[in-house]
Every structure is written in structure tokens, then in C-alpha cells.
mmCIF file of all heavy atoms in Angstrom:
data_model
loop_
_atom_site.group_PDB
_atom_site.id
_atom_site.type_symbol
_atom_site.label_atom_id
_atom_site.label_comp_id
_atom_site.label_asym_id
_atom_site.label_seq_id
_atom_site.Cartn_x
_atom_site.Cartn_y
_atom_site.Cartn_z
ATOM 1 N N ALA Z 1 102.717 46.836 189.069
ATOM 2 C CA ALA Z 1 102.455 48.108 189.656
ATOM 3 C C ALA Z 1 101.167 48.628 189.011
ATOM 4 O O ALA Z 1 101.073 48.760 187.783
ATOM 5 C CB ALA Z 1 103.619 49.092 189.379
ATOM 6 N N ALA Z 2 100.216 49.028 189.919
ATOM 7 C CA ALA Z 2 98.947 49.573 189.402
ATOM 8 C C ALA Z 2 98.971 51.033 189.492
ATOM 9 O O ALA Z 2 99.449 51.625 190.486
ATOM 10 C CB ALA Z 2 97.811 49.004 190.277
ATOM 11 N N SER Z 3 98.439 51.703 188.540
ATOM 12 C CA SER Z 3 98.424 53.175 188.482
ATOM 13 C C SER Z 3 97.518 53.699 189.653
ATOM 14 O O SER Z 3 97.916 54.675 190.323
ATOM 15 C CB SER Z 3 97.866 53.685 187.163
ATOM 16 O OG SER Z 3 96.522 53.233 186.935
ATOM 17 N N ARG Z 4 96.435 52.988 189.902
ATOM 18 C CA ARG Z 4 95.620 53.369 190.976
ATOM 19 C C ARG Z 4 94.566 52.174 191.165
ATOM 20 O O ARG Z 4 94.061 51.691 190.221
ATOM 21 C CB ARG Z 4 94.849 54.631 190.750
ATOM 22 C CG ARG Z 4 93.896 55.065 191.810
ATOM 23 C CD ARG Z 4 93.327 56.408 191.494
ATOM 24 N NE ARG Z 4 92.533 56.418 190.259
ATOM 25 C CZ ARG Z 4 92.081 57.507 189.671
ATOM 26 N NH1 ARG Z 4 92.206 58.652 190.257
ATOM 27 N NH2 ARG Z 4 91.452 57.417 188.516
ATOM 28 N N LEU Z 5 94.320 51.805 192.424
ATOM 29 C CA LEU Z 5 93.369 50.798 192.696
ATOM 30 C C LEU Z 5 92.058 51.506 193.148
ATOM 31 O O LEU Z 5 91.993 52.123 194.201
ATOM 32 C CB LEU Z 5 93.761 49.896 193.860
ATOM 33 C CG LEU Z 5 94.976 49.000 193.433
ATOM 34 C CD1 LEU Z 5 95.357 48.035 194.625
ATOM 35 C CD2 LEU Z 5 94.721 48.156 192.200
ATOM 36 N N THR Z 6 91.066 51.500 192.303
ATOM 37 C CA THR Z 6 89.808 52.118 192.613
ATOM 38 C C THR Z 6 89.013 51.304 193.661
ATOM 39 O O THR Z 6 89.379 50.148 193.952
ATOM 40 C CB THR Z 6 88.971 52.263 191.364
ATOM 41 O OG1 THR Z 6 88.504 50.973 190.891
ATOM 42 C CG2 THR Z 6 89.754 52.931 190.263
ATOM 43 N N ASN Z 7 87.952 51.845 194.123
ATOM 44 C CA ASN Z 7 87.068 51.192 195.121
ATOM 45 C C ASN Z 7 86.413 49.962 194.508
ATOM 46 O O ASN Z 7 85.918 49.118 195.273
ATOM 47 C CB ASN Z 7 86.100 52.110 195.657
ATOM 48 C CG ASN Z 7 86.641 53.167 196.542
ATOM 49 O OD1 ASN Z 7 87.711 53.034 197.146
ATOM 50 N ND2 ASN Z 7 85.929 54.332 196.667
ATOM 51 N N ASN Z 8 86.312 49.929 193.216
ATOM 52 C CA ASN Z 8 85.718 48.775 192.556
ATOM 53 C C ASN Z 8 86.634 47.525 192.430
ATOM 54 O O ASN Z 8 86.167 46.453 192.145
ATOM 55 C CB ASN Z 8 85.216 49.127 191.111
ATOM 56 C CG ASN Z 8 84.084 50.101 191.135
ATOM 57 O OD1 ASN Z 8 83.262 50.159 192.096
ATOM 58 N ND2 ASN Z 8 84.022 50.988 190.089
ATOM 59 N N ILE Z 9 87.930 47.708 192.690
ATOM 60 C CA ILE Z 9 88.840 46.619 192.522
ATOM 61 C C ILE Z 9 89.018 45.952 193.917
ATOM 62 O O ILE Z 9 89.518 46.516 194.891
ATOM 63 C CB ILE Z 9 90.265 47.122 192.033
ATOM 64 C CG1 ILE Z 9 90.097 47.692 190.633
ATOM 65 C CG2 ILE Z 9 91.264 45.917 192.036
ATOM 66 C CD1 ILE Z 9 89.580 46.714 189.632
ATOM 67 N N HIS Z 10 88.639 44.666 193.963
ATOM 68 C CA HIS Z 10 88.666 43.899 195.208
ATOM 69 C C HIS Z 10 89.702 42.822 195.226
ATOM 70 O O HIS Z 10 90.039 42.268 196.257
ATOM 71 C CB HIS Z 10 87.328 43.264 195.504
ATOM 72 C CG HIS Z 10 86.225 44.237 195.705
ATOM 73 N ND1 HIS Z 10 86.305 45.240 196.698
ATOM 74 C CD2 HIS Z 10 85.003 44.381 195.139
ATOM 75 C CE1 HIS Z 10 85.151 45.979 196.647
ATOM 76 N NE2 HIS Z 10 84.411 45.487 195.709
ATOM 77 N N ALA Z 11 90.354 42.496 194.042
ATOM 78 C CA ALA Z 11 91.291 41.496 193.966
ATOM 79 C C ALA Z 11 92.243 41.730 192.882
ATOM 80 O O ALA Z 11 91.888 42.304 191.809
ATOM 81 C CB ALA Z 11 90.684 40.101 193.924
ATOM 82 N N MET Z 12 93.457 41.221 192.972
ATOM 83 C CA MET Z 12 94.469 41.185 191.870
ATOM 84 C C MET Z 12 95.106 39.867 191.770
ATOM 85 O O MET Z 12 95.023 39.052 192.743
ATOM 86 C CB MET Z 12 95.532 42.321 192.097
ATOM 87 C CG MET Z 12 94.969 43.728 192.140
ATOM 88 S SD MET Z 12 96.279 44.948 192.378
ATOM 89 C CE MET Z 12 97.193 44.743 190.865
ATOM 90 N N GLY Z 13 95.724 39.580 190.621
ATOM 91 C CA GLY Z 13 96.236 38.248 190.469
ATOM 92 C C GLY Z 13 97.123 38.117 189.255
ATOM 93 O O GLY Z 13 97.595 39.131 188.682
ATOM 94 N N TRP Z 14 97.418 36.859 188.921
ATOM 95 C CA TRP Z 14 98.249 36.548 187.815
ATOM 96 C C TRP Z 14 97.667 35.398 186.991
ATOM 97 O O TRP Z 14 97.170 34.492 187.509
ATOM 98 C CB TRP Z 14 99.671 36.125 188.298
ATOM 99 C CG TRP Z 14 100.449 37.206 189.076
ATOM 100 C CD1 TRP Z 14 100.274 37.569 190.368
ATOM 101 C CD2 TRP Z 14 101.369 38.102 188.527
ATOM 102 N NE1 TRP Z 14 101.139 38.583 190.618
ATOM 103 C CE2 TRP Z 14 101.774 38.937 189.555
ATOM 104 C CE3 TRP Z 14 101.864 38.379 187.193
ATOM 105 C CZ2 TRP Z 14 102.744 39.966 189.382
ATOM 106 C CZ3 TRP Z 14 102.771 39.307 186.980
ATOM 107 C CH2 TRP Z 14 103.231 40.148 188.052
ATOM 108 N N PHE Z 15 97.751 35.571 185.637
ATOM 109 C CA PHE Z 15 97.582 34.520 184.695
ATOM 110 C C PHE Z 15 98.928 34.241 183.940
ATOM 111 O O PHE Z 15 99.832 35.050 184.024
ATOM 112 C CB PHE Z 15 96.542 34.866 183.607
ATOM 113 C CG PHE Z 15 95.122 34.567 184.112
ATOM 114 C CD1 PHE Z 15 94.576 35.241 185.246
ATOM 115 C CD2 PHE Z 15 94.323 33.700 183.449
ATOM 116 C CE1 PHE Z 15 93.248 34.894 185.632
ATOM 117 C CE2 PHE Z 15 93.003 33.500 183.756
ATOM 118 C CZ PHE Z 15 92.510 34.012 184.921
ATOM 119 N N ARG Z 16 98.973 33.213 183.178
ATOM 120 C CA ARG Z 16 100.140 32.977 182.347
ATOM 121 C C ARG Z 16 99.720 32.282 181.108
ATOM 122 O O ARG Z 16 98.623 31.554 181.089
ATOM 123 C CB ARG Z 16 101.183 32.161 183.051
ATOM 124 C CG ARG Z 16 100.802 30.669 183.327
ATOM 125 C CD ARG Z 16 101.958 30.024 184.158
ATOM 126 N NE ARG Z 16 101.577 28.588 184.388
ATOM 127 C CZ ARG Z 16 102.307 27.778 185.188
ATOM 128 N NH1 ARG Z 16 103.501 28.228 185.703
ATOM 129 N NH2 ARG Z 16 101.968 26.537 185.289
ATOM 130 N N GLN Z 17 100.509 32.395 180.031
ATOM 131 C CA GLN Z 17 100.179 31.706 178.788
ATOM 132 C C GLN Z 17 101.517 31.197 178.203
ATOM 133 O O GLN Z 17 102.448 31.923 177.870
ATOM 134 C CB GLN Z 17 99.556 32.660 177.773
ATOM 135 C CG GLN Z 17 99.177 31.910 176.496
ATOM 136 C CD GLN Z 17 98.200 32.761 175.663
ATOM 137 O OE1 GLN Z 17 98.272 33.995 175.707
ATOM 138 N NE2 GLN Z 17 97.430 32.102 174.814
ATOM 139 N N ALA Z 18 101.637 29.829 178.198
ATOM 140 C CA ALA Z 18 102.854 29.177 177.704
ATOM 141 C C ALA Z 18 102.688 28.996 176.196
ATOM 142 O O ALA Z 18 101.593 29.055 175.608
ATOM 143 C CB ALA Z 18 102.977 27.767 178.297
ATOM 144 N N PRO Z 19 103.833 28.824 175.444
ATOM 145 C CA PRO Z 19 103.746 28.688 174.007
ATOM 146 C C PRO Z 19 102.831 27.495 173.595
ATOM 147 O O PRO Z 19 102.981 26.394 174.143
ATOM 148 C CB PRO Z 19 105.220 28.393 173.646
ATOM 149 C CG PRO Z 19 106.006 29.014 174.746
ATOM 150 C CD PRO Z 19 105.172 28.839 175.988
ATOM 151 N N GLY Z 20 101.950 27.844 172.688
ATOM 152 C CA GLY Z 20 101.008 26.770 172.186
ATOM 153 C C GLY Z 20 99.949 26.405 173.080
ATOM 154 O O GLY Z 20 99.226 25.393 172.814
ATOM 155 N N LYS Z 21 99.815 27.084 174.243
ATOM 156 C CA LYS Z 21 98.752 26.675 175.212
ATOM 157 C C LYS Z 21 97.796 27.838 175.478
ATOM 158 O O LYS Z 21 98.130 29.011 175.168
ATOM 159 C CB LYS Z 21 99.414 26.182 176.528
ATOM 160 C CG LYS Z 21 100.223 24.960 176.414
ATOM 161 C CD LYS Z 21 100.770 24.517 177.742
ATOM 162 C CE LYS Z 21 101.560 23.206 177.661
ATOM 163 N NZ LYS Z 21 102.065 22.773 178.970
ATOM 164 N N GLU Z 22 96.653 27.506 176.093
ATOM 165 C CA GLU Z 22 95.722 28.553 176.425
ATOM 166 C C GLU Z 22 96.190 29.341 177.712
ATOM 167 O O GLU Z 22 96.926 28.748 178.565
ATOM 168 C CB GLU Z 22 94.343 27.985 176.636
ATOM 169 C CG GLU Z 22 93.741 27.377 175.358
ATOM 170 C CD GLU Z 22 92.356 26.896 175.582
ATOM 171 O OE1 GLU Z 22 91.912 26.785 176.745
ATOM 172 O OE2 GLU Z 22 91.668 26.474 174.627
ATOM 173 N N ARG Z 23 95.679 30.483 177.845
ATOM 174 C CA ARG Z 23 95.971 31.309 179.038
ATOM 175 C C ARG Z 23 95.313 30.634 180.208
ATOM 176 O O ARG Z 23 94.172 30.220 180.175
ATOM 177 C CB ARG Z 23 95.500 32.709 178.826
ATOM 178 C CG ARG Z 23 96.030 33.685 179.858
ATOM 179 C CD ARG Z 23 95.659 35.156 179.497
ATOM 180 N NE ARG Z 23 96.352 35.540 178.200
ATOM 181 C CZ ARG Z 23 96.299 36.703 177.687
ATOM 182 N NH1 ARG Z 23 95.665 37.716 178.326
ATOM 183 N NH2 ARG Z 23 96.950 37.002 176.565
ATOM 184 N N GLU Z 24 96.066 30.541 181.380
ATOM 185 C CA GLU Z 24 95.580 29.861 182.571
ATOM 186 C C GLU Z 24 95.795 30.682 183.802
ATOM 187 O O GLU Z 24 96.733 31.522 183.915
ATOM 188 C CB GLU Z 24 96.167 28.530 182.720
ATOM 189 C CG GLU Z 24 97.719 28.513 182.991
ATOM 190 C CD GLU Z 24 98.249 27.217 183.221
ATOM 191 O OE1 GLU Z 24 97.542 26.229 183.378
ATOM 192 O OE2 GLU Z 24 99.570 27.097 183.306
ATOM 193 N N PHE Z 25 94.955 30.482 184.768
ATOM 194 C CA PHE Z 25 95.037 31.132 186.035
ATOM 195 C C PHE Z 25 96.211 30.677 186.854
ATOM 196 O O PHE Z 25 96.466 29.492 186.849
ATOM 197 C CB PHE Z 25 93.704 30.984 186.889
ATOM 198 C CG PHE Z 25 93.812 31.377 188.284
ATOM 199 C CD1 PHE Z 25 93.846 32.717 188.643
ATOM 200 C CD2 PHE Z 25 93.937 30.399 189.293
ATOM 201 C CE1 PHE Z 25 93.896 33.072 189.995
ATOM 202 C CE2 PHE Z 25 94.045 30.791 190.615
ATOM 203 C CZ PHE Z 25 93.994 32.108 190.951
ATOM 204 N N VAL Z 26 96.846 31.551 187.566
ATOM 205 C CA VAL Z 26 98.013 31.208 188.368
ATOM 206 C C VAL Z 26 97.746 31.453 189.858
ATOM 207 O O VAL Z 26 97.841 30.553 190.746
ATOM 208 C CB VAL Z 26 99.280 31.989 187.973
ATOM 209 C CG1 VAL Z 26 100.424 31.656 188.891
ATOM 210 C CG2 VAL Z 26 99.614 31.626 186.506
ATOM 211 N N ALA Z 27 97.420 32.681 190.199
ATOM 212 C CA ALA Z 27 97.178 33.064 191.601
ATOM 213 C C ALA Z 27 96.396 34.371 191.722
ATOM 214 O O ALA Z 27 96.409 35.138 190.817
ATOM 215 C CB ALA Z 27 98.613 33.213 192.358
ATOM 216 N N ALA Z 28 95.821 34.573 192.879
ATOM 217 C CA ALA Z 28 95.091 35.811 193.144
ATOM 218 C C ALA Z 28 95.063 36.154 194.604
ATOM 219 O O ALA Z 28 95.247 35.252 195.486
ATOM 220 C CB ALA Z 28 93.673 35.637 192.664
ATOM 221 N N ILE Z 29 94.905 37.416 194.934
ATOM 222 C CA ILE Z 29 94.905 37.893 196.329
ATOM 223 C C ILE Z 29 93.921 39.022 196.468
ATOM 224 O O ILE Z 29 93.788 39.893 195.540
ATOM 225 C CB ILE Z 29 96.269 38.248 196.777
ATOM 226 C CG1 ILE Z 29 96.275 38.694 198.268
ATOM 227 C CG2 ILE Z 29 96.805 39.488 195.935
ATOM 228 C CD1 ILE Z 29 97.732 38.847 198.839
ATOM 229 N N VAL Z 30 93.211 39.072 197.546
ATOM 230 C CA VAL Z 30 92.230 40.191 197.770
ATOM 231 C C VAL Z 30 93.030 41.440 198.128
ATOM 232 O O VAL Z 30 94.132 41.335 198.696
ATOM 233 C CB VAL Z 30 91.249 39.903 198.843
ATOM 234 C CG1 VAL Z 30 90.321 38.732 198.426
ATOM 235 C CG2 VAL Z 30 91.924 39.577 200.158
#
């Protein structure tokens, strides 16, 4: 849930970080 999507925000998405691993991209949507 976003408090507010400003005009500058063109996309949202998800990252994840598993134990002992670097954060990685998962998915995005405009």
C-alpha cells in the first residue's frame, strides 16, 4: 500500500533478500 503515488512515480515492484544472499529483483509493473 502506497501513501500516495506522485506524478514522478512511473513504476512499482518487488525485490527480495534471502538469508545470506544479496537483495535481488523479483518483479515490476508500470
Side-chain angles (χ1 to χ4, degrees):
S3 60
R4 180 176 59 188
L5 295 179
T6 70
N7 291 335
N8 292 331
I9 299 300
H10 296 305
M12 298 181 66
W14 296 87
F15 274 63
R16 68 183 182 185
Q17 187 166 24
K21 297 184 178 180
E22 296 183 351
R23 194 170 297 185
E24 65 177 352
F25 168 76
V26 176
I29 187 170
V30 296

